[in-house]
Amino acid sequence: MNRDSPVEPVLEIDGLSKRFGARWALRDVSFDLWPGEVLAIVGESGSGKTTLLNAIAGRVTPDAGTVLYRAAAGKEGGGSAADLVSLSEAERRRLLRTDLGLVHQNPRDGLRLSVSAGANIGERLMAAGARHYGDIRARALDWLQRVEIEAARIDDMPATFSGGMQQRLQIARNLVSEPRIVLMDEPTGGLDVSVQARLLDLLRDLVAEIGVSVVLVTHDLGVARLLAHRLLVMQQGRVIESGLTDQVLDDPQHAYTQLLVSSVLQL
């Protein structure tokens, strides 16, 4: 992620703002996301981090600003940047099925509970153009094993899985098409500590393996330290500090960041 290289960011956020009534959820938020980078967004509840993620995903329409996405070279529109805010609903849905992934905190929000585990993965492949049933099933089997779900569970319904297994299935569903960007909203939230640790190790390995860029929303600074290259700290809709993860967490400059870090250390 050499900023002096000719590589261009995959995502450019510029001046993103959003109000809900009298409250600013986002205030002039700007940052770049680079190829292969994991960027964590941290802050207390109400800081704006989830609104920011939803604005990137097209689930919230900002009042001002742009969200420029640059497709990979070799793909349709490769190298050119498109503003996700101004895309049609059909264009946005196509991107969310192919180039963009979204991992929800509650895996049931990111899975189709009415179809099997294998079908949940296969649907994403079909949306990306796969048509051969044998190939689709083989890739679904491969990804189930990569997220540590037994191959014998391929025809089981997600409702029969534990919460940790459902989250791993949701991750497989998102990563199988090797998207350019994955948005993750508290991916370890609601899981017990042992399941969290296993999932974090798995996420770190898979993200590095396929070289995907990630925007990770988390309230857990330990998760941010383990997964993220870079950190944005948000307060009242603004980015108040940013930098390399270890640098920000080990030597926070803003008083709010210092308070966040110290509160973790005192637990």
Side-chain angles (χ1 to χ4, degrees), residues 111-116 119-120 123 157-159:
L111 296 171
R112 285 193 59 201
L113 300 181
S114 60
V115 302
S116 69
N120 266 277
E123 283 182 339
M157 306 300 274

Side-chain angles (χ1 to χ4, degrees), residues 122-133 135-136 139:
E123 283 182 339
R124 177 101 178 177
L125 289 170
M126 292 179 69
R131 290 294 179 266
H132 189 280
Y133 174 78
D135 291 343
I136 292 171
R139 290 187 66 186

Side-chain angles (χ1 to χ4, degrees), residues 5-157:
S5 75
V7 175
E8 295 180 294
V10 295
L11 197 66
E12 298 175 59
I13 308 297
D14 185 29
L16 217 56
S17 298
K18 178 67 181 179
R19 289 182 68 161
F20 294 112
R23 182 179 71 86
W24 284 100
L26 298 174
R27 302 184 70 176
D28 196 27
V29 174
S30 301
F31 65 88
D32 293 338
L33 178 70
W34 297 83
E37 179 179 44
V38 180
L39 175 69
I41 303 169
V42 302
E44 63 189 343
S45 179
S47 62
K49 59 188 187 295
T50 297
T51 301
L52 175 57
L53 197 77
N54 285 334
I56 297 171
R59 304 169 77 193
V60 166
T61 302
D63 298 323
T66 56
V67 180
L68 297 182
Y69 165 68
R70 184 170 285 103
K75 286 197 173 185
E76 182 181 350
S80 62
D83 184 3
L84 300 186
V85 173
S86 61
L87 288 182
S88 68
E89 185 61 28
E91 290 172 318
R92 188 178 295 112
R93 281 199 306 268
R94 180 187 63 79
L95 276 179
L96 282 169
R97 290 195 304 264
T98 54
D99 286 17
L100 305 181
L102 177 59
V103 174
H104 300 261
Q105 177 177 354
N106 184 346
R108 288 172 171 256
D109 294 334
L111 296 171
R112 285 193 59 201
L113 300 181
S114 60
V115 302
S116 69
N120 266 277
I121 299 173
E123 283 182 339
R124 177 101 178 177
L125 289 170
M126 292 179 69
R131 290 294 179 266
H132 189 280
Y133 174 78
D135 291 343
I136 292 171
R137 188 171 176 87
R139 290 187 66 186
L141 279 167
D142 175 57
W143 269 93
L144 284 177
Q145 293 171 327
R146 288 169 81 171
V147 297
E148 301 176 356
I149 296 175
E150 292 180 10
R153 303 296 304 268
I154 188 170
D155 295 316
D156 292 353
M157 306 300 274

Side-chain angles (χ1 to χ4, degrees), residues 3 8 43 49-50 72 77 79 110-111 117 148-149 154 168 173 188 192 199 219 226 263:
R3 303 299 189 269
E8 295 180 294
K49 59 188 187 295
T50 297
L111 296 171
E148 301 176 356
I149 296 175
I154 188 170
R168 297 201 304 275
R173 176 181 168 94
T188 61
D192 66 46
L199 182 62
H219 70 280
L226 183 66
S263 66

Side-chain angles (χ1 to χ4, degrees), residues 36-40 184 187-188 199-205 207 214 216 218 221-230 245:
E37 179 179 44
V38 180
L39 175 69
M184 296 186 180
T188 61
L199 182 62
L200 286 170
D201 285 341
L202 181 68
L203 267 176
R204 182 176 55 184
D205 292 345
V207 165
V214 176
L216 168 71
T218 182
L221 298 185
V223 170
R225 188 186 287 276
L226 183 66
L227 292 181
H229 302 106
R230 196 158 51 96
T245 300

